[in-house]
Amino acid sequence: MTRMLIVGPPGAGKGTQSKRISEELNIVAISTGDIFRENIKGETDLGKEAKKYVDAGELVPDSVTNRMVEDRLTWDDAAEGFLLDGYPRNLSQVAAFDEISSRLDVKLDVVLELTADTEELTSRLVQRAETDGRTDDNEDVIRHRLEVFQKETAPMIEEYRQRGLLQQVDGLGEIETVNARIMDALKA
Ligand code: AMP
């Protein structure tokens, strides 16, 4: 059983690799971005609350996000391990997640970081905007999401490095190649 996070800048391929990892390790992948997008599409209360932040490339307020993740982790499918994609996203969410983890008695095994350079990411994201039609994939919002990553998420990754949980993997390359690197890193 594995309990892990996948982190990395927007466009580094977290979503794609998450799906693969969850199949290979037989654990549920939980993407906070996907949950927000589904709720926005379904026009739920949560979706209405989150929409303006997601569309602007801002983080949804921590109180909303933390509650949503804690609820999701109590579902049966998370009892045998999980892969959290996109959460925690800043240091305050790390603190909240520490409390959630101790309440639910789920200890993290590993934090996997997919690394990639910003120029490459911007062009990947612009391409994805054309194919997926994500409303937060226009160029200004993309740039803003990368800034939010540098400012808010990079310090959170550093925190997990200091805790000795961080494994870094080069996210550039073919899906298969990156997947193989990830599987090697997880064995280590
Ligand atoms: P993602 O699909 O992970 O790139 O997330 C898309 C958007 O969902 C982000 O730009 C945020 O607006 C929101 N979001 C996803 N995860 C979080 C989180 N942990 N905290 C706050 N907002 C989030």
Side-chain angles (χ1 to χ4, degrees), residues 26-175:
N26 201 20
I27 53 179
V28 64
I30 300 172
S31 154
T32 46
D34 282 352
I35 300 175
F36 285 131
R37 281 185 288 277
E38 280 158 19
N39 277 277
I40 290 169
K41 219 165 124 203
E43 297 180 352
T44 66
D45 288 345
L46 175 66
K48 285 176 197 152
E49 214 169 345
K51 182 172 168 47
K52 61 174 182 287
Y53 301 101
V54 172
D55 283 353
E58 296 286 350
L59 296 186
V60 177
D62 292 339
S63 55
V64 175
T65 309
N66 292 328
R67 207 173 338 116
M68 175 178 96
V69 170
E70 178 157 12
D71 172 73
R72 183 61 187 84
L73 288 177
T74 62
W75 294 19
D76 282 351
D77 62 357
E80 299 301 317
F82 55 78
L83 165 58
L84 264 178
D85 167 5
Y87 179 94
R89 199 80 152 219
N90 58 24
L91 282 170
S92 128
Q93 292 182 9
V94 171
F97 185 57
D98 285 343
E99 288 176 19
I100 293 170
S101 309
S102 75
R103 269 198 295 275
L104 302 181
D105 195 21
V106 291
K107 198 169 150 289
L108 270 189
D109 302 304
V110 60
V111 174
L112 182 83
E113 180 186 11
L114 280 186
T115 60
D117 110 0
T118 329
E119 286 303 304
E120 171 73 23
L121 291 177
T122 312
S123 81
R124 272 204 208 183
L125 285 167
V126 171
Q127 235 181 352
R128 185 168 80 186
E130 285 161 12
T131 51
D132 293 10
R134 270 178 58 160
T135 51
D136 60 350
D137 267 353
N138 76 62
E139 216 168 319
D140 283 347
V141 177
I142 288 167
R143 207 165 301 120
H144 187 59
R145 284 166 59 219
L146 286 164
E147 283 164 15
V148 169
F149 175 80
Q150 291 302 345
K151 190 161 155 270
E152 305 258 346
T153 308
M156 161 231 139
I157 296 174
E158 181 53 31
E159 169 66 22
Y160 284 117
R161 179 204 303 284
Q162 285 173 17
R163 294 186 190 185
L165 287 175
L166 189 67
Q167 287 281 353
Q168 287 177 306
V169 167
D170 179 3
L172 287 184
E174 296 295 321
I175 291 174

